[in-house]
């Protein structure tokens, strides 16, 4: 049997298989020639060999690892991954990966993992081929996606920071007033001491008490400045176990001047136990401040005698920490409720409309939720819900 080229009627060459068989007929030797067109068979064979080369040609990592964790196949694009594992073809992957292969085969479910190699970040899909006891590993280069996410996070942090700066700028008068109180007290005590000493009147004990007051007030001023610095400096987001009661009190101190000016009665119904959540304290205080400032704006439109602000903290039955800010101000009409958290939505003349949108982003980054409920003309209540660190809250409480 031979493979030859044949020419068709229209002049095209095509492969044929030729078989010649001798036959004896009446003592005479004859030959029977069988010619078969094998172009289709050839095409299929080529396709199979090209399919076999397919993973090798892939610009993305494709590997096969058997149950004992030996890399039995790795295409060229897997070089960075093998370098990351510190092994070569026909060698065993590190123990963690060996376990992952075993687990994938045991469960029969594909597993997805992410690795950062020298060539970039890869998402690896470990697909089990149970009957042959190996997993196929398909890599996907997600460096660009991760970079874009990082940039978006960075921009989001910048936005949160700029918004905080703008809030602080708007509150400058109130904050200056708060700072002025301990400073004025210091001046008064110091002048009093100087006068008594000059006149030779000061009892030693009395002067010491005055000095202690000066030091106490200076500490109070220092605290305010420390808090302010925390609010204005740009910092990487953190996660710290924080008592939400403390945050609420700190935020209330920052609006104290504006609240008193508007003659708003404030009630604090804070949980007796510390309400601990793992949060970025500066960012969550920013959210509380946004809610308080909105409440002050809404209450400014209410009759003076009836202006009330209620702040609550606690733990829900579902074990979530919550902060609630309730005012009996102007309230929000139904149509506006739909857009409340949209960027640039504002019903105020000079409003930016970014406060609630940024608050929502911050709370979502903490795996929490922020909700609003309102009765137009009667008031509004905002609730922030955050995952609580219950074990820590219990240990602090006991
Ligand atoms: P801004 O305060 O700059 O308008 P926000 O995003 O903080 O931006 O608020 C968006 C809008 O939501 C406000 O303009 C107001 O109409 C409404 N709003 C928010 N909080 C309250 C509240 N406590 N009472 C009434 N309306 C509110």
């Amino acid at each position: 049997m031979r493979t030859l080229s044949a020419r068709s009627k229209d002049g095209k060459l095509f492969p044929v298989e030729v078989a010649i068989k001798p036959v004896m007929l009446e003592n005479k030797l004859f030959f029977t020639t069988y010619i078969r067109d094998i172009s289709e068979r050839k095409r299929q064979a080529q396709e199979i060999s090209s399919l076999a080369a397919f993973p090798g040609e892939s610009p993305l990592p494709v590997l096969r690892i058997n149950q004992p964790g030996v890399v039995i196949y790795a295409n060229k694009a897997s070089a960075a991954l093998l370098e990351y594992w510190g092994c070569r073809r026909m060698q065993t992957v590190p123990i963690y990966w060996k376990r992952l292969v075993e687990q994938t085969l045991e469960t029969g479910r594909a597993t997805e993992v992410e690795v950062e190699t020298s060539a970039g970040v890869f998402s690896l899909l470990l697909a089990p081929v149970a009957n042959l006891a190996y997993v196929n590993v398909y890599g996907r280069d997600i460096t660009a996606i991760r970079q874009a996410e990082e940039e978006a996070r960075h921009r989001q942090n910048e936005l949160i920071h700029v918004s905080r700066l703008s809030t602080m700028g708007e509150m400058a008068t109130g904050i200056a007033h708060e700072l002025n109180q301990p400073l004025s007290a210091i001046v008064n005590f110091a002048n009093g001491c100087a006068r008594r000493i000059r006149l030779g009147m000061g009892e030693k004990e009395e002067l010491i008490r005055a000095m202690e007051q000066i030091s106490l007030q200076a500490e109070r001023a220092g605290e305010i400045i420390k808090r302010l610095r925390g609010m204005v400096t740009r910092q990487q987001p953190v996660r710290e176990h924080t008592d939400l009661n403390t945050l609420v009190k700190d935020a209330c101190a920052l609006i104290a001047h504006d609240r008193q000016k508007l003659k708003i009665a404030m009630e604090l119904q804070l949980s007796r136990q510390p309400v601990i959540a793992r949060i970025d304290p500066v960012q969550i205080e920013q959210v509380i401040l946004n809610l308080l400032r909105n409440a002050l704006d809404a209450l400014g439109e209410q009759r003076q005698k009836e202006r009330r602000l209620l702040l609550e903290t606690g733990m829900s039955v579902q074990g979530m920490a919550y902060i609630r800010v309730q005012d009996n101000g102007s309230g929000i009409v139904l149509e506006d409720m739909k857009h409340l958290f949209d960027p640039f939505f504002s019903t105020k003349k000079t409003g930016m409309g970014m406060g609630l949108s940024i608050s929502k982003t911050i709370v979502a980054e903490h795996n929490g939720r922020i909700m609003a409920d309102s009765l137009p003309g009667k008031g509004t209540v905002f609730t922030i819900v955050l995952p609580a660190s219950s074990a820590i809250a219990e240990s602090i409480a006991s």
Side-chain angles (χ1 to χ4, degrees):
M1 185 138 35
R2 278 220 169 165
T3 307
L4 297 172
S5 283
R7 195 183 294 276
S8 66
K9 246 196 246 166
D10 56 6
K12 267 193 206 146
L13 283 175
F14 63 99
V16 286
E17 207 174 66
V18 180
I20 301 170
K21 263 196 159 185
V23 208
M24 284 297 278
L25 275 179
E26 294 171 6
N27 280 342
K28 280 193 181 154
L29 185 62
F30 290 88
F31 293 95
T32 316
T33 310
Y34 301 90
I35 302 173
R36 191 185 304 149
D37 179 353
I38 54 162
S39 25
E40 181 55 23
R41 208 174 73 199
K42 269 224 152 156
R43 195 191 60 74
Q44 279 174 1
Q46 262 168 4
E47 202 159 282
I48 288 167
S49 69
S50 126
L51 265 179
F54 186 54
E57 290 161 1
S58 163
L60 294 169
V62 178
L63 306 97
R64 179 168 286 179
I65 304 173
N66 66 11
Q67 193 159 26
V70 177
V71 180
I72 50 176
Y73 173 82
N75 69 351
K76 261 200 198 139
S78 307
L81 207 57
L82 292 177
E83 181 197 297
Y84 170 82
W85 284 332
C87 69
R88 278 188 259 152
R89 239 180 270 186
M90 301 320 287
Q91 288 185 345
T92 313
V93 290
I95 187 83
Y96 168 78
W97 291 88
K98 212 174 137 177
R99 293 232 174 89
L100 211 60
V101 167
E102 276 166 13
Q103 264 171 29
T104 310
L105 283 170
E106 264 166 37
T107 58
R109 254 179 283 127
T111 321
E112 206 161 350
V113 254
E114 208 174 298
V115 289
E116 196 169 342
T117 71
S118 58
V121 187
F122 286 92
S123 164
L124 302 180
L125 181 78
L126 277 70
V129 185
N131 52 350
L132 296 175
Y134 57 64
V135 296
N136 286 342
V137 182
Y138 305 100
R140 193 160 52 95
D141 189 345
I142 52 166
T143 317
I145 299 172
R146 289 291 170 264
Q147 257 165 11
E149 281 170 358
E150 186 53 44
E151 267 164 39
R153 239 193 317 270
H154 181 70
R155 249 178 254 132
Q156 185 177 296
N157 275 334
E158 291 284 302
L159 187 65
I160 290 172
H161 180 238
V162 167
S163 151
R164 196 160 63 233
L165 280 185
S166 126
T167 306
M168 288 294 136
E170 285 163 22
M171 292 173 63
T173 320
I175 293 167
H177 196 269
E178 208 204 333
L179 200 54
N180 218 17
Q181 283 178 351
L183 294 181
S184 306
I186 290 171
V187 172
N188 287 342
F189 281 118
N191 284 342
C193 284
R195 204 172 41 244
R196 279 183 162 72
I197 293 170
R198 226 179 278 123
L199 297 173
M201 296 165 48
E203 284 290 320
K204 193 174 155 199
E205 279 307 308
E206 199 185 1
L207 290 176
I208 288 174
R209 268 202 303 279
M211 295 290 190
E212 280 170 355
Q213 273 302 323
I214 289 175
S215 146
L216 206 74
Q217 295 297 330
E219 263 172 37
R220 197 178 137 199
E223 263 309 304
I224 298 171
I225 291 170
K226 202 170 119 197
R227 261 197 348 251
L228 280 181
R229 196 191 288 151
M231 292 300 272
V232 294
T233 47
R234 181 189 287 116
Q235 55 170 11
Q236 283 304 310
V238 292
R239 288 293 178 269
E240 287 167 8
H241 293 288
T242 311
D243 184 4
L244 299 185
N245 288 343
T246 315
L247 276 195
V248 168
K249 284 187 220 155
D250 284 353
C252 285
L254 286 177
I255 57 139
H257 175 71
D258 293 338
R259 181 178 64 78
Q260 281 151 12
K261 218 168 65 183
L262 288 165
K263 303 220 162 20
I264 297 168
M266 186 173 75
E267 192 182 338
L268 289 184
Q269 284 184 11
L270 305 185
S271 155
R272 284 184 186 200
Q273 316 284 339
V275 183
I276 310 291
R278 205 169 151 266
I279 53 165
D280 185 315
V282 169
Q283 289 192 356
I284 296 296
E285 186 171 342
Q286 178 177 359
V287 176
I288 304 170
L289 260 184
N290 281 339
L291 299 187
L292 288 177
R293 297 188 67 242
N294 278 340
L296 294 198
D297 288 340
L299 284 165
E301 293 171 28
Q302 180 69 278
R303 272 205 302 271
Q304 219 179 60
K305 271 192 196 157
E306 287 162 21
R307 294 173 183 171
R308 273 193 314 278
L309 184 59
L310 170 65
L311 275 111
E312 287 172 81
T313 59
M315 293 279 288
S316 73
V317 274
Q318 292 88 5
M320 298 289 275
Y322 68 83
I323 303 169
R324 202 166 282 144
V325 179
Q326 186 170 358
D327 65 69
N328 63 341
S330 52
I332 306 163
V333 293
L334 196 64
E335 186 49 36
D336 289 350
M337 285 293 276
K338 292 182 205 153
H339 307 288
L340 220 50
F341 295 97
D342 292 353
F344 306 114
F345 172 79
S346 178
T347 56
K348 300 173 195 167
K349 263 193 210 133
T350 54
M352 271 256 286
M354 287 305 287
L356 287 181
S357 142
I358 286 175
S359 297
K360 190 177 171 183
T361 309
I362 294 176
V363 176
E365 282 287 310
H366 284 77
N367 300 322
R369 273 182 313 138
I370 180 165
M371 295 151 285
D373 204 358
S374 183
L375 273 181
K378 299 257 183 241
T380 307
V381 50
F382 278 91
T383 312
I384 307 166
V385 177
L386 294 163
S389 325
S390 48
I392 298 210
E394 277 157 24
S395 73
I396 288 176
S398 59

